[in-house]
Amino acid sequence: MTKMERVEKIGDAAEAMLDYVENKHTQQCESTLTVPHASYVDPDRWQREVDLVFKKVPLMLAFTAEMPNPGDYKAMEAVGMPLLITRDKQGEVHAFFNVCSHRGAPVAEEGHGNCPRFTCPYHAWSFGLDGKLLGVSEKDLFGDVDKHSRGLRALPCEERAGMIFVCLDPEASMDLDDFYEGFLGEYEDLEFEKWAYLGSRTIHGANWKIAFDGYLEGYHFSALHPETVFPRTPSNRMHYGFFGPHMRIGFPQHSIGEQLKPIPREEWGEQENNGFDFARIFFPNASCFIAPEVTQFAQLFPGPTPDKNRTVLNYLRREPYKDDADREATEAALNFFRDVTYEEDYIIGEKIQKGLESGAHKDVIFGKNEVGNQHFHKWLDWYLAEDPSAPKPVS
């Protein structure tokens, strides 16, 4: 799909959202969908989601803006696995298990940094940015070591559209074009690789799907966000575009009519944040909301048990901090966004977790208007079925 075709699609979405607001309706599925309550509480189901989804599909784990220079690295954890993402001297990115090949210690502390090599703190074995074993301390006394087979264990990794994607299965192949079905083109149009990374905040909540369900619909805006989201965005007015398991969710603003109508219809596809906004969802666990002031990119990971998740809220914008005053004001805004997400969404999620664990109802139900939730759960079930020959879900 060309950039012009993508702009036309966004223009069509804007036209649909204007209709939703003016005529008080929204996009719908053909019927409702029930999901067993066990989907949110069963340990076996949770483990299969980790093993068959999170450890098999590409995950967006870092931003170009987060580690732009040769020698930059990011050490992190995802679904309990220690990871190390590096940029070598030639500017190429790599991903590894952050595990020394000698005795299993991490070779880098969690966080960001820049260095020419990694030295294990346990016995001082050293590794290059490309993962190769460079040195064994007191090698003459240690004995023979095949350096070629004792490097850091590499993971499939690719940098595209300002983001770094990793698959947690070292034996897997990764085809981003096939997986994202053209969706990354929208980030290329935004020149996402040129944006500035402002930092992150981490919050914790209930089962990862309870949290993620809230990112996929605006049905709850007036009830749960009466003073934060709802003044800008009406409830239950959503427009969905699908790219395989991924989706773009359009949220019209109350002012969409007065914002768009003075503008020629052919220019509506270039008016994001002017009358309407988008949340861009990467299956299985990421949501990006681009706003004029700052962009929030949420990464949701299953926690150590089925009733917990760890969410990393990343913040970016087109321009870096201008000065200390700008930094201070923006940092305060980032803390506000984090607090709203936790206090208004994640606290209710923890209460939902207790409700589902009670067994009061055998299932949850998603309405015809909760199109994104239905799409997500159908795709999740498709992956868990482990049958590539089965028809893929269609929304």
Side-chain angles (χ1 to χ4, degrees):
M1 185 184 298
T2 66
K3 180 177 180 178
M4 182 176 296
E5 290 171 330
R6 287 191 288 270
V7 170
E8 289 177 358
K9 292 282 188 183
I10 290 175
D12 292 342
E15 185 173 30
M17 285 186 277
L18 175 61
D19 176 54
Y20 299 158
V21 171
E22 291 188 335
N23 295 295
K24 295 181 171 51
H25 68 115
T26 194
Q27 186 173 345
Q28 292 186 298
C29 297
E30 292 184 356
S31 62
T32 60
L33 174 74
T34 57
V35 172
H37 90 288
S39 176
Y40 299 92
V41 301
D42 180 67
D44 292 335
R45 163 81 183 212
W46 171 83
Q47 189 63 57
R48 292 179 65 237
E49 291 167 353
V50 170
D51 293 339
L52 300 178
V53 179
F54 279 86
K55 292 183 180 180
K56 295 298 182 182
V57 306
L59 300 177
M60 202 303 295
L61 294 185
F63 303 92
T64 297
E66 200 174 354
M67 40 183 297
N69 303 309
D72 284 348
Y73 69 86
K74 178 182 182 180
M76 62 176 292
E77 179 183 297
V79 290
M81 305 179 77
L83 307 175
L84 177 63
I85 304 170
T86 69
R87 190 178 297 279
D88 66 23
K89 295 178 182 179
Q90 288 71 45
E92 295 296 317
V93 295
H94 306 268
F96 312 96
F97 288 118
N98 184 16
V99 179
C100 180
S101 58
H102 173 214
R103 296 269 288 279
V107 301
E109 292 296 320
E110 188 168 319
H112 300 80
N114 183 283
C115 64
R117 64 176 62 192
F118 300 95
T119 302
C120 177
Y122 197 9
H123 296 93
W125 284 31
S126 60
F127 301 84
L129 293 163
D130 58 2
K132 293 179 180 178
L133 176 60
L134 299 179
V136 175
S137 59
E138 298 195 56
K139 183 178 182 301
D140 293 340
L141 296 178
F142 187 88
D144 293 336
V145 174
D146 180 4
K147 288 186 176 181
H148 294 291
S149 65
R150 283 285 170 182
L152 298 177
R153 186 74 183 277
L155 296 166
C157 177
E158 186 174 345
E159 184 173 27
R160 289 278 294 277
M163 294 169 284
I164 298 169
F165 299 88
V166 179
C167 183
L168 302 184
D169 179 357
E171 305 300 328
S173 58
M174 191 167 68
D175 187 336
L176 296 183
D177 290 322
D178 179 69
F179 185 58
Y180 286 103
E181 297 194 12
F183 198 17
L184 298 183
E186 297 201 3
Y187 288 89
E188 293 168 352
D189 294 344
L190 293 165
E191 297 185 321
F192 208 49
E193 73 280 359
K194 298 179 181 178
W195 289 33
Y197 183 71
L198 305 182
S200 67
R201 307 288 189 273
T202 300
I203 58 177
H204 299 85
N207 177 276
W208 71 277
K209 296 188 302 299
I210 289 176
F212 204 49
D213 277 336
Y215 289 84
L216 304 181
E217 47 87 1
Y219 184 34
H220 67 279
F221 286 172
S222 62
L224 195 62
H225 305 297
E227 297 179 358
T228 51
V229 178
F230 184 64
R232 176 185 177 93
T233 307
S235 270
N236 211 21
R237 307 287 182 263
M238 300 85 68
H239 185 79
Y240 296 87
F242 298 109
F243 306 80
H246 321 284
M247 66 187 93
R248 186 204 319 110
I249 312 174
F251 295 106
Q253 299 168 16
H254 290 287
S255 61
I256 186 169
E258 61 188 80
Q259 298 286 80
L260 289 186
K261 287 182 178 180
I263 299 171
R265 169 61 181 82
E266 61 269 20
E267 297 178 15
W268 287 9
E270 299 175 322
Q271 300 302 314
E272 184 171 352
N273 302 135
N274 183 36
F276 61 92
D277 306 293
F278 287 122
R280 292 174 171 86
I281 305 297
F282 285 169
F283 182 89
N285 71 324
S287 172
C288 177
F289 185 84
I290 295 173
E293 304 82 9
V294 69
T295 287
Q296 178 173 284
F297 199 117
Q299 299 164 295
L300 287 79
F301 297 101
T305 53
D307 60 331
K308 300 183 186 303
N309 87 79
R310 179 176 64 91
T311 297
V312 182
L313 303 173
N314 301 278
Y315 297 100
L316 304 95
R317 70 179 190 185
R318 286 181 167 84
E319 302 294 335
Y321 291 125
K322 300 173 184 176
D323 50 36
D324 289 343
D326 180 30
R327 178 186 294 273
E328 183 177 353
T330 304
E331 289 284 337
L334 304 189
N335 289 336
F336 172 77
F337 296 147
R338 174 206 55 200
D339 292 346
V340 167
T341 304
Y342 178 72
E343 293 172 5
E344 297 187 5
D345 290 283
Y346 278 50
I347 286 180
I348 191 69
E350 291 173 341
K351 294 177 181 179
I352 292 170
Q353 183 76 49
K354 291 180 179 179
L356 293 175
E357 288 174 350
S358 75
H361 303 287
K362 65 180 181 180
D363 57 32
V364 300
I365 184 169
F366 292 103
K368 294 194 297 182
N369 57 323
E370 297 178 297
V371 177
N373 303 80
Q374 293 203 28
H375 185 81
F376 166 71
H377 284 276
K378 289 174 182 177
W379 270 98
L380 184 60
D381 286 345
W382 183 85
Y383 274 98
L384 296 182
E386 292 188 275
D387 182 7
S389 65
K392 294 180 177 180
V394 177
S395 295

